[in-house]
Amino acid sequence: MLRFVRGLVVGAAATLLISSAAMAQQAGSTLDTIIQRGKIVVGISLSTPPYGMTDASMKPSGFDVAVANLIARDLGVQLEIVDQVSQARIPNLTSNKVDIVVSSLGITAERAKAIMYTNSIYVDEQMVIAPAGTQIASLQDLVGKRVGVTRSTTNDTIITEKAVEGTNIQRFDDDAATNQALFSGQVDAIVSGVAAANAINAQTDQFQRKFAVRQSPMGIGVRRGDFDLRQWLNTEIMLLWNSGELQAAQKEWLGVVNKELPRF
Amino acid sequence: MFQQYSLAHVQFMLTGLGWTVTLALIALVGGSIAGSVLTLMRVSSNAILSRIAQFYIFVVQGTPLLVTLFIAYFGASYVGFAVQPLVAIAVAFSFYAAAFLGDIWRGAIQSVPGGQHEGAHALGLSRVAAMRYIIIPQAIRIATPPTVGFFVQLIKNTSLASVVGIVELTRTAQIVSNATFKPLEVYLTAALFYFLVCFPITLFSRRLEKRLNV
């Protein structure tokens, strides 16, 4: 219950902040600020493996961290990572707490009202995962079932939007809790990304992917109106793609390499 | 990629515990100072001061701490103040704690029997001296259990600080749990750490009560 209230409150506060996001736009260019300061401040959720996590020596690692490192390297500045809970990703950006957000940030029309996205750095696929023995092949089959999902993620958005009436959606605070709910039978199925599915399969073969719900492209978030910075990042993403470094990071952390990335 | 739950993780959670203790100290000190001011306003014979304090207590007690924290951290940025996370926490927790402590302490002071006031007056003590030597020592004994109970609650509430980017105990547990996929073991460790911080305080409160009873 407390969790629920907390989620609700964070959601409400975030909405409030998003609506006032336009006020928070800086006068100068963030790109200039970053170069003058000699440091880029990047918001990353460190509790979302394999995007943001900690390695065995408790240093930040993962796909988002790898991308942030490449960006800092090519800007010629130091990297400062700010850990953030997933609900704080957009408020952190719009209130100038961070310069950019590289935090498994799925691109949605709703979020794009509050922040700007760069071109995509990875395209995830959201899928339904359930015990191997169950017969689940479509959204219709989820009616009357308990479906777990991590709150404030695009997984949550998509299942909330697409679920057939009668589906019982249960939201958890992070991927570990969502997966644990599946392992312990508290939910009948979960909606998750490819990487999380791989993580489950690495531990047990009791669960399998049932069907894909949707593709979810992820981008880097910048403040609205920060065209300078967005343009530099788009250039950087193109260069990293051409040099193969972006694909290498995808392969290393996500176990999948996209054939192409949407540009817009 | 996914790690075994190990000593390194526990050490990482210990750094989180360090933050939790730091935040708790900030909240306790800030809350006590602000709470004292509010208590004095509340028991003051000046009706306006008393009303202001009462209104403040109404508003803050009726607002979740998380929202106060959001306003202090993100909200302040929107109106042009660049607030450091620790400052936002110090402000939000002090404001929050003050509202509760102000009421707890007022209740304690007012529950000292009226005869004590009259007795002090009969002995020729001034109002301030009566407070200082007669009323407050008795009020402290009454106030100790609820104050300690609230402090313990406040320590556990510091877990909300992860919203403003502080990697405290609960957040380290979240991070470790996500890296190891062992939520039960990880959160039990975190629970033990919280207990180790809170239990001595409860114990101290018992002792204090006994000593003040004599």
Side-chain angles (χ1 to χ4, degrees):
Chain A
M1 188 59 198
L2 184 69
R3 280 271 161 95
F4 172 74
V5 172
R6 192 172 139 184
L8 204 71
V9 164
V10 175
T15 316
L16 193 78
L17 295 174
I18 287 165
S19 60
S20 55
M23 289 170 12
Q25 283 170 26
Q26 276 184 314
S29 149
T30 307
L31 182 58
D32 291 335
T33 313
I34 292 168
I35 294 167
Q36 276 159 19
R37 196 201 293 142
K39 186 174 80 178
I40 183 167
V41 184
V42 183
I44 299 178
S45 163
L46 293 179
S47 63
T48 316
Y51 298 98
M53 54 198 275
T54 47
D55 63 15
S57 56
M58 296 299 132
K59 294 270 180 298
S61 71
F63 177 70
D64 291 333
V65 176
V67 172
N69 269 308
L70 292 170
I71 289 170
R73 181 198 70 186
D74 291 342
L75 270 171
V77 297
Q78 282 191 322
L79 171 64
E80 181 184 328
I81 292 174
V82 173
D83 171 48
Q84 54 190 2
V85 295
S86 62
Q87 304 98 314
R89 289 183 294 186
I90 290 175
N92 263 344
L93 188 61
T94 55
S95 64
N96 294 316
K97 305 295 182 194
V98 298
D99 297 322
I100 61 173
V101 169
V102 190
S103 199
S104 56
L105 196 60
I107 301 176
T108 69
E110 195 57 38
R111 286 177 182 166
K113 288 181 197 166
I115 59 168
M116 288 201 303
Y117 284 99
T118 63
N119 284 330
S120 153
I121 54 173
Y122 174 62
V123 181
D124 195 18
E125 198 170 42
Q126 285 150 339
M127 55 188 67
V128 171
I129 301 162
T134 54
Q135 293 295 320
I136 294 174
S138 70
L139 288 167
Q140 192 63 46
D141 295 338
L142 293 175
V143 172
K145 297 251 184 348
R146 295 162 302 170
V147 181
V149 68
T150 309
R151 92 169 74 254
S152 287
T153 60
T154 45
N155 305 338
D156 185 359
T157 319
I158 189 65
I159 192 65
T160 306
E161 179 190 317
K162 287 203 162 185
V164 182
E165 193 163 334
T167 310
N168 177 5
I169 302 171
Q170 301 192 352
R171 295 174 182 83
F172 298 90
D173 262 2
D174 52 38
D175 287 346
T178 307
N179 291 357
Q180 204 60 32
L182 180 69
F183 292 163
S184 59
Q186 286 165 323
V187 295
D188 303 305
I190 61 169
V191 178
S192 202
V194 172
N198 287 341
I200 291 173
N201 284 139
Q203 293 190 57
T204 166
D205 52 7
Q206 278 182 293
F207 303 95
Q208 58 177 218
R209 301 161 197 205
K210 295 298 185 183
F211 63 96
V213 187
R214 195 184 59 174
Q215 299 252 303
S216 170
M218 295 173 179
I220 298 171
V222 300
R223 273 183 288 277
R224 271 178 58 182
D226 243 342
F227 286 100
D228 255 13
L229 182 59
R230 178 169 166 273
Q231 189 55 37
W232 188 89
L233 287 168
N234 278 341
T235 310
E236 168 76 355
I237 292 167
M238 184 274 289
L239 290 171
L240 290 177
W241 181 262
N242 277 0
S243 68
E245 284 170 294
L246 193 54
Q247 295 93 319
Q250 288 185 347
K251 179 96 192 116
E252 179 178 4
W253 296 107
L254 310 171
V256 195
V257 176
N258 289 141
K259 286 203 181 64
E260 56 175 354
L261 292 173
R263 294 180 188 179
F264 52 91
Chain B
M1 180 165 55
F2 292 93
Q3 304 146 19
Q4 291 294 314
Y5 185 38
S6 70
L7 211 60
H9 293 112
V10 177
Q11 277 171 355
F12 178 57
M13 286 167 70
L14 275 173
T15 65
L17 180 66
W19 271 113
T20 295
V21 171
T22 310
L23 295 177
L25 285 176
I26 292 174
L28 297 191
V29 173
S32 301
I33 294 169
S36 310
V37 173
L38 212 61
T39 306
L40 292 178
M41 285 172 72
R42 199 69 180 78
V43 299
S44 147
S45 49
N46 183 328
I48 298 173
L49 278 183
S50 177
R51 274 295 157 86
I52 292 174
Q54 200 176 7
F55 178 73
Y56 174 88
I57 289 169
F58 265 134
V59 171
V60 178
Q61 283 199 357
T63 320
L65 178 55
L66 188 61
V67 171
T68 318
L69 203 53
F70 246 97
I71 294 171
Y73 188 62
F74 294 115
S77 290
Y78 289 120
V79 291
F81 298 102
V83 186
Q84 291 299 307
L86 268 182
V87 176
I89 284 166
V91 170
F93 275 81
S94 301
F95 276 48
Y96 176 78
F100 286 88
L101 292 175
D103 233 14
I104 291 172
W105 293 346
R106 171 195 60 90
I109 286 174
Q110 289 181 343
S111 64
V112 174
Q116 299 288 323
H117 282 278
E118 287 157 18
H121 190 67
L123 286 171
L125 290 174
S126 70
R127 197 176 142 80
V128 174
M131 267 289 178
R132 165 81 182 75
Y133 296 106
I134 311 289
I135 307 300
I136 290 185
Q138 299 183 69
I140 285 178
R141 201 188 68 197
I142 301 168
T144 302
T147 304
V148 171
F150 179 73
F151 277 174
V152 168
Q153 216 186 327
L154 199 63
I155 290 171
K156 290 182 282 189
N157 267 337
T158 57
S159 64
L160 292 175
S162 60
V163 167
V164 303
I166 301 274
V167 185
E168 43 63 58
L169 182 51
T170 300
R171 182 65 184 153
T172 55
Q174 263 179 3
I175 290 173
V176 171
S177 150
N178 273 286
T180 57
F181 278 81
K182 291 270 181 290
L184 187 67
E185 291 87 334
V186 173
Y187 286 116
L188 277 176
T189 312
L192 179 71
F193 283 169
Y194 275 113
F195 180 77
L196 289 179
V197 173
C198 295
F199 184 62
I201 297 176
T202 316
L203 219 57
F204 175 71
S205 141
R206 291 258 171 80
R207 280 230 179 134
L208 197 67
E209 266 182 84
K210 271 192 194 147
R211 217 184 61 190
L212 292 170
N213 242 334
V214 177

